[in-house]
Amino acid sequence: MKIMVLLLLVTLPACLAYNATLGWQTLLQGPPLIIANGGSSGMFPDQTDPAYYDAANSSKIPLAMLCDLQLTKDNLGVCRTGWNLSASTNLTNILTNTSVPSTYVIQGVSRTGFFSVDFNLTELNQTTAIQQNPARSPDSDGIYPILTPEYIAGGANNAIGLFFWLNVEYPSFYQQHPGKNSLASYLTTFLKAYKPAYVSATEVGILKLLQLTATRTQTYLVLKFLDKTAVEESTNTTYGAILSNLADVATYASGILVPKSYIYATRVTPATTGSEFGYFVDGASTLVQEAHKANLEVFVYGFANDVFPSSYNYSFDPVFDSLSYIGNSFQIDGFLTDFPNTASEAINCYPEGYVKAPLASRGASKSVKNPVIISHNGASGDFPGCTMAAYVAAINDGADYIDCSVQITSDGVAICRENVDLLPNTNIFSNQALYQQYVATYPELQATPGVFSFNLSYADVSTLKAVMYSPWGKYLVSRDPSNDGVENILTLDDFLSFAKNNSGIGIYVNLQNAYYLRTVHNLDLVDAVVTSLTKANLTNASDKVFVASEDSSALAALQNLMPAVKTVYVVPYSAANPYSVTPAVLQEIKQYANTVSIDWRLIDPLDTFSGFLLQKTSVVSAAQALNMTVFYSFLSNEFVAYARDYRSDPILQIYSLISEFKLDGLITDFPSTLYNFLNKNYCYQSVGGQNISMSTQNYPIFPVAPVSPFAMAPSPALSVAEPPVSYLVPTTSPGGPSIAPGPSANPSSATKLPVSLVATVALILILTFIL
Ligand SMILES: *[C@@H]1O[C@H](CO)[C@@H](O)[C@H](O)[C@H]1NC(C)=O
Ligand SMILES: *[C@@H]1O[C@H](CO)[C@@H](O)[C@H](O)[C@H]1NC(C)=O
Ligand SMILES: *[C@@H]1O[C@H](CO)[C@@H](O)[C@H](O)[C@H]1NC(C)=O
Ligand SMILES: *[C@@H]1O[C@H](CO)[C@@H](O)[C@H](O)[C@H]1NC(C)=O
Ligand SMILES: *[C@@H]1O[C@H](CO)[C@@H](O)[C@H](O)[C@H]1NC(C)=O
Ligand SMILES: *[C@@H]1O[C@H](CO)[C@@H](O)[C@H](O)[C@H]1NC(C)=O
Ligand SMILES: *[C@@H]1O[C@H](CO)[C@@H](O)[C@H](O)[C@H]1NC(C)=O
Ligand SMILES: *[C@@H]1O[C@H](CO)[C@@H](O)[C@H](O)[C@H]1NC(C)=O
Ligand SMILES: *[C@@H]1O[C@H](CO)[C@@H](O)[C@H](O)[C@H]1NC(C)=O
Ligand SMILES: *[C@@H]1O[C@H](CO)[C@@H](O)[C@H](O)[C@H]1NC(C)=O
Ligand SMILES: *[C@@H]1O[C@H](CO)[C@@H](O)[C@H](O)[C@H]1NC(C)=O
Ligand SMILES: *[C@@H]1O[C@H](CO)[C@@H](O)[C@H](O)[C@H]1NC(C)=O
């Protein structure tokens, strides 16, 4: 047995095994290796010092540092990915106004550009790395020099638990450039001097050439597979053909490096518009089992938290994605990833994988008081929001509360819809008669035309079906459309009776635009909600019910009509008119509600230019100092939905928020992700007596505090009080005849919002919702 195998086994605590009885089902029976693709290349330009240090700091060991080899004119190595040096490297310092690009044939294709073989190392040492992926932060571009394999291997060899992995993407090309046999000559010398743990190559020929040296230097040789139909140059056969004879591969390699699609084939759904924004994966192939039988390790490449489009099967959660490669039926031997910390979490923290959590099976294994999970329009990340499918999923996914965002029809029927505008979340556009009849523009609600629920009768609404709404659609990250046009629009009564049939589930009813609807359209959401809750007998103190609104007047009326029901003040967000939520504002809010639901941008504000966090606010602790309950609104898994600080990893965001803010509840589009974090993440809290540190190296994995805090511009305090408005007395209300328009407190007139400003706030709310 090779020394490295022993190392792998001794450096890891036994408790990491997926099944403590069986142990890891990898070929070496240790936890999968993490291979950092050029370091933390998701965060920093790849193959630079900060990228490698960050990977080492934020990942579990064993960890391999991968370098993509390119040869220079003087037959030395540099670590860059891709033949096109301009894409990864700032060449300003070495190109002159007379530099001309060269043309070479690489993997059978003629390519024109700037190639490493046209420069010597002294020249390339004057260049700097740039981020190749435009979705990632360019903040560190042009700062860090590019590195050599010798430098990185030297560093890895001197660190415990770190290995060096050299990948050769273009063997045939470098066997001919800069000179004949240049690759074999470079690699033979390199292997002897640096004994890299792994060398992978896309060609059989070079691996066979290296076999003898590799045996002596105890280097694992790995064949990297490209597309199954692509031709492997040294054998002139397709990768698919090579794959069909793994026993032969095992004669010259000890492992294979394959794309994710070799394990889970992707299936693009052709039918629906927009389906190109995501795809499904088919059931797993048996490749891992077959390779293990042939005594080959299986390493998988293509893991990145911000790949786009991504698979709907994993609900935009990269940890969930990774877990599907280390499940019960097989476990891969290594993850090649741009986000090594995320693979670390999957391996270290979720030994049981993700689970479903229907009400009946929810255990009491929590050792820490957890925040409550409140769905956001049901499990709206996976199903069209506010539909039966979304609510059923929310309950099965572990939500403690399911929610209805209440809108109202022209004839006063309360319905559950994500937004007052039915255009983005129903199929009304495909009913052109109805659409043409009702399309309208309400500048006070949104700038673009819409079809507004308050204009349609319930009879009209009931002919519609729900469609998926993607809050991050402006970044072209769209949710699964495959259930579009299937689900009915629910009334609040439908919702309440469904909830009552699932005893134990909490109810969160959020009245949207109550003040606007009452004052502008003479429609009374408060009346409708009180009527429905009363009819459903859900107005007792013992009921698990929250009623929320962004309008203090509505909350005051609700308090009067249903004094036992808990109210929630929804603190809105306004990009155009920023305001601050001071302790005095919270004190005022407390007259209407003991619970606040706070927009995420007020808790964790972003610098919209860089995408990184600004200085965090103290609004949560200020509210908690007043003994108020604080809900966070709202969580989305999509990487474009939160700060870059969280490494495109929704688990890191959740961990950061919960550990920093001690939130009482989180409102989420993806209850499953949150449930599994709270109940199945052994690194967050002990589960069944087992506790695992989220980082095996005692370095903090999480950016719980922003990297470089910016000062926030001071903004005026939020105005809570509203001009007097009277909501109707519901006919079924047992109570008295009149409803006080406002709270007992008398806020100074200066803090009262003029109606136009109320409208502006509403407009901004809608806009931010739509965008
Ligand atoms: C672990 O493996 C053992 C032996 O196959 C099996 O009996 C046990 O149920 C497994 N445990 C879990 C949690 O899957
Ligand atoms: C990694 O950790 C080392 C040692 O704690 C520290 O000096 C370095 O700044 C860290 N690097 C990054 C990129 O976080
Ligand atoms: C090489 O990369 C640069 C920078 O991304 C790009 O502008 C250029 O078009 C690329 N060249 C080729 C031939 O792809
Ligand atoms: C190229 O740069 C040199 C000096 O750096 C200058 O003399 C020459 O005019 C430039 N040529 C062109 C075509 O710009
Ligand atoms: C590298 O190339 C530059 C420019 O052609 C040349 O001046 C220098 O001498 C070369 N250095 C080495 C070490 O070959
Ligand atoms: C690159 O230049 C730096 C100084 O700028 C030097 O320390 C380093 O050794 C050089 N690297 C190589 C490979 O020449
Ligand atoms: C590239 O390098 C030049 C010279 O060092 C610098 O002025 C420029 O800002 C860099 N560009 C990028 C995108 O890093
Ligand atoms: C590769 O194989 C194809 C047929 O499979 C043949 O046409 C072609 O000439 C071969 N190329 C080389 C370089 O041998
Ligand atoms: C992915 O989701 C699709 C659609 O629900 C399903 O058909 C497929 O089996 C799923 N794939 C896996 C691996 O579960
Ligand atoms: C929508 O309802 C308002 C009254 O609330 C009415 O004034 C308006 O004409 C209606 N618009 C359409 C398109 O039906
Ligand atoms: C209403 O619910 C309460 C408990 O929440 C229960 O005690 C009461 O009997 C119910 N009333 C009716 C009429 O069902
Ligand atoms: C909060 O509650 C605690 C304990 O019930 C009480 O001592 C404290 O005075 C309360 N603080 C405020 C600001 O209401």
Side-chain angles (χ1 to χ4, degrees):
M1 185 183 270
K2 296 184 177 188
I3 286 171
M4 228 174 53
V5 179
L6 288 173
L7 241 180
L8 285 174
L9 292 177
V10 295
T11 50
L12 281 143
C15 61
L16 299 181
Y18 175 74
N19 176 329
T21 317
L22 286 179
W24 283 97
Q25 299 300 294
T26 54
L27 191 63
L28 303 183
Q29 299 182 341
L33 178 69
I34 296 187
I35 308 143
N37 189 20
S40 287
S41 49
M43 297 298 290
F44 297 95
D46 60 300
Q47 302 167 101
T48 57
D49 260 327
Y52 287 117
Y53 277 110
D54 183 81
N57 286 3
S58 65
S59 311
K60 73 166 203 68
I61 54 172
L63 174 68
M65 300 298 194
L66 181 136
C67 155
D68 250 323
L69 176 70
Q70 316 284 338
L71 292 182
T72 66
K73 196 186 205 168
D74 38 358
N75 207 27
L76 295 169
V78 289
C79 300
R80 294 325 287 139
T81 292
W83 60 266
N84 181 5
L85 221 48
S86 328
S88 68
T89 313
N90 182 346
L91 299 172
T92 307
N93 290 341
I94 60 168
L95 295 184
T96 66
N97 57 6
T98 58
S99 301
V100 282
S102 332
T103 300
Y104 294 101
V105 175
I106 293 195
Q107 285 167 347
V109 184
S110 177
R111 305 285 195 186
T112 300
F114 292 102
F115 295 79
S116 59
V117 289
D118 292 329
F119 303 96
N120 64 33
L121 184 58
T122 314
E123 289 174 284
L124 288 173
N125 195 18
Q126 294 159 43
T127 68
T128 50
I130 54 180
Q131 179 57 265
Q132 301 203 42
N133 184 331
R136 295 175 181 171
S137 171
D139 285 9
S140 304
D141 281 7
I143 302 173
Y144 299 102
I146 68 170
L147 302 173
T148 63
E150 291 77 10
Y151 173 87
I152 301 155
N157 288 351
N158 282 327
I160 293 167
L162 296 191
F163 298 105
F164 182 67
W165 182 308
L166 189 66
N167 177 56
V168 190
E169 197 70 15
Y170 311 119
S172 281
F173 176 68
Y174 285 123
Q175 268 298 64
Q176 291 144 27
H177 301 93
K180 200 163 164 46
N181 262 337
S182 45
L183 179 65
S185 136
Y186 174 81
L187 285 177
T188 312
T189 311
F190 184 83
L191 257 63
K192 286 180 187 153
Y194 288 91
K195 298 184 171 35
Y198 300 88
V199 170
S200 59
T202 56
E203 291 176 21
V204 175
I206 190 70
L207 294 178
K208 287 186 170 170
L209 269 178
L210 290 176
Q211 252 183 303
L212 213 63
T213 317
T215 308
R216 280 196 234 113
T217 57
Q218 301 192 333
T219 297
Y220 282 149
L221 296 179
V222 176
L223 179 64
K224 178 174 178 179
F225 285 75
L226 305 178
D227 197 87
K228 280 182 187 166
T229 57
V231 172
E232 192 280 292
E233 278 188 273
S234 71
T235 56
N236 196 25
T237 52
T238 61
Y239 286 98
I242 298 173
L243 193 71
S244 66
N245 193 351
L246 289 172
D248 181 55
V249 175
T251 63
Y252 55 83
S254 49
I256 57 176
L257 175 59
V258 299
K260 290 172 80 182
S261 61
Y262 273 42
I263 310 226
Y264 290 102
T266 61
R267 178 160 46 87
V268 177
T269 47
T272 332
T273 320
S275 61
E276 66 273 17
F277 296 134
Y279 57 86
F280 294 106
V281 294
D282 285 332
S285 72
T286 53
L287 174 62
V288 177
Q289 293 92 322
E290 285 159 25
H292 283 175
K293 249 180 242 150
N295 205 29
L296 286 166
E297 287 190 272
V298 181
F299 306 99
V300 180
Y301 68 90
F303 289 94
N305 299 355
D306 52 4
V307 256
F308 169 79
S310 68
S311 170
Y312 297 129
N313 289 77
Y314 309 118
S315 304
F316 305 94
D317 175 352
V319 170
F320 190 23
D321 182 356
S322 298
L323 285 169
S324 70
Y325 293 81
I326 47 174
N328 278 316
S329 41
F330 66 87
Q331 292 164 12
I332 63 170
D333 300 275
F335 291 86
L336 173 49
T337 170
D338 295 1
F339 293 84
N341 63 304
T342 297
S344 301
E345 290 164 53
I347 295 168
N348 268 12
C349 305
Y350 288 94
E352 296 171 53
Y354 275 17
V355 296
K356 283 280 170 198
L359 281 169
S361 78
R362 291 189 200 165
S365 60
K366 301 180 196 176
S367 61
V368 175
K369 182 185 164 283
N370 278 333
V372 296
I373 303 171
I374 304 158
S375 74
H376 187 233
N377 304 309
S380 59
D382 293 323
F383 294 94
C386 298
T387 61
M388 203 46 88
Y391 292 126
V392 168
I395 292 178
N396 287 333
D397 287 352
D400 299 305
Y401 286 79
I402 54 173
D403 71 303
C404 166
S405 300
V406 196
Q407 318 295 341
I408 196 162
T409 62
S410 59
D411 46 349
V413 178
I415 57 170
C416 299
R417 281 287 85 213
E418 289 148 292
N419 193 262
V420 63
D421 180 8
L422 303 178
L423 198 48
N425 57 51
T426 71
N427 63 354
I428 189 153
F429 193 70
S430 60
N431 183 339
Q432 274 294 312
L434 213 53
Y435 171 78
Q436 295 297 346
Q437 186 181 350
Y438 290 116
V439 65
T441 304
Y442 282 91
E444 69 272 30
L445 287 176
Q446 64 189 42
T448 52
V451 179
F452 295 90
S453 52
F454 52 76
N455 274 134
L456 276 72
S457 68
Y458 177 66
D460 287 335
V461 166
S462 63
T463 66
L464 303 175
K465 302 283 182 185
V467 301
M468 187 55 115
Y469 168 68
S470 296
W472 315 106
K474 71 166 170 173
Y475 302 113
L476 303 185
V477 181
S478 296
R479 295 176 176 176
D480 178 6
S482 57
N483 297 295
D484 283 7
V486 177
E487 295 284 324
N488 293 326
I489 311 301
L490 300 182
T491 63
L492 176 60
D493 289 340
D494 295 336
F495 168 80
L496 294 177
S497 73
F498 168 74
K500 281 199 76 139
N501 281 340
N502 288 275
S503 86
I505 198 74
I507 295 167
Y508 184 95
V509 175
N510 181 17
L511 287 68
Q512 291 191 345
N513 305 305
Y515 179 86
Y516 168 81
L517 290 166
R518 182 74 190 91
T519 52
V520 179
H521 297 279
N522 197 30
L523 286 167
D524 197 334
L525 215 48
V526 170
D527 171 43
V529 167
V530 172
T531 303
S532 289
L533 283 173
T534 306
K535 201 163 62 188
N537 189 23
L538 284 167
T539 57
N540 312 291
S542 58
D543 294 323
K544 248 172 105 176
V545 177
F546 282 106
V547 182
S549 169
E550 77 270 19
D551 297 307
S552 58
S553 58
L555 292 174
L558 289 162
Q559 277 179 329
N560 281 343
L561 290 163
M562 307 183 298
V565 174
K566 292 184 278 297
T567 49
V568 181
Y569 184 85
V570 178
V571 184
Y573 169 80
S574 164
N577 297 307
Y579 52 77
S580 52
V581 184
T582 60
V585 168
L586 290 163
Q587 193 85 58
E588 193 183 351
I589 289 173
K590 220 185 151 176
Q591 299 158 27
Y592 306 96
N594 204 46
T595 302
V596 274
S597 155
I598 306 180
D599 187 281
W600 60 281
R601 288 156 292 193
L602 297 170
I603 294 177
D604 228 2
L606 271 189
D607 175 48
T608 46
F609 183 71
S610 73
F612 284 97
L613 289 173
L614 293 164
Q615 198 151 33
K616 299 203 175 191
T617 70
S618 55
V619 59
V620 175
S621 54
Q624 286 172 339
L626 293 171
N627 289 342
M628 296 174 87
T629 300
V630 181
F631 295 157
Y632 179 93
S633 177
F634 58 92
L635 291 171
S636 294
N637 284 354
E638 292 100 321
F639 71 93
V640 287
Y642 40 84
R644 290 190 197 272
D645 306 60
Y646 299 130
R647 297 160 179 262
S648 304
D649 181 339
I651 309 303
L652 294 194
Q653 183 197 23
I654 292 170
Y655 179 86
S656 287
L657 288 171
I658 289 176
S659 42
E660 194 174 20
F661 292 118
K662 310 280 177 286
L663 294 159
D664 301 287
L666 293 101
I667 300 173
T668 176
D669 289 0
F670 296 89
S672 171
T673 306
L674 183 55
Y675 179 88
N676 279 287
F677 176 83
L678 294 172
N679 295 279
K680 292 293 162 190
N681 186 317
Y682 284 55
C683 303
Y684 165 59
Q685 59 178 317
S686 162
V687 181
Q690 276 198 69
N691 205 342
I692 302 169
S693 162
M694 202 112 182
S695 163
T696 50
Q697 296 179 69
N698 299 321
Y699 290 119
I701 283 189
F702 299 113
V704 281
V707 183
S708 50
F710 301 74
M712 289 236 286
S715 16
L718 168 71
S719 299
V720 175
E722 288 165 340
V725 52
S726 60
Y727 294 93
L728 303 175
V729 183
T731 46
T732 52
S733 165
S738 75
I739 293 156
S744 49
N746 42 0
S748 76
S749 56
T751 65
K752 287 183 183 170
L753 281 177
V755 174
S756 65
L757 185 51
V758 173
T760 312
V761 170
L763 168 68
I764 285 148
L765 264 178
I766 302 303
L767 281 177
T768 42
F769 191 82
I770 295 291
L771 290 175

